Amino acid sequence: MNNFVVDFLGFRMMVSSLIIRIIYAIGLLGITIYGLQQALGNLLVGLGIIILANLLWRIFCEALILLFGIHQELVKISRNFKS
């Protein structure tokens, strides 16, 4: 069987990094739209949402990508020990 298929089915290859980036973009858009709506009523609250919420969302998504990146590196190390 192809290594790609074996790695994919064995969860040694992760597709989550791409999915997280897509979800980040959707969340960024949603948070920004919500912040703009709130800015119509209260400019300071709207700007706070746009800046702080997007910053926190970015940090959260980066942390997820980092965790999955660590997993991928551990899989590479594991493969090197098996060879």
Side-chain angles (χ1 to χ4, degrees):
M1 195 180 269
N2 188 347
N3 278 344
F4 174 79
V5 174
V6 171
D7 287 347
F8 182 78
L9 294 176
F11 287 91
R12 288 183 294 274
M13 183 193 77
M14 297 300 218
V15 295
S16 55
S17 179
L18 174 64
I19 293 170
I20 292 169
R21 287 185 175 106
I22 292 169
I23 291 171
Y24 167 74
I26 294 168
L28 175 74
L29 184 63
I31 291 169
T32 303
I33 290 171
Y34 179 73
L36 290 172
Q37 288 174 343
Q38 294 302 311
L40 295 175
N42 187 335
L43 182 61
L44 188 58
V45 171
L47 288 176
I49 290 172
I50 291 171
I51 294 169
L52 292 176
N54 275 318
L55 179 62
L56 292 174
W57 179 241
R58 173 72 184 226
I59 291 169
F60 175 73
C61 289
E62 285 180 2
L64 289 176
I65 289 173
L66 178 66
L67 288 173
F68 287 112
I70 290 169
H71 175 268
Q72 287 177 339
E73 290 303 315
L74 289 173
V75 167
K76 287 179 189 176
I77 291 169
S78 175
R79 284 186 188 144
N80 287 338
F81 279 125
K82 289 180 183 177
S83 321

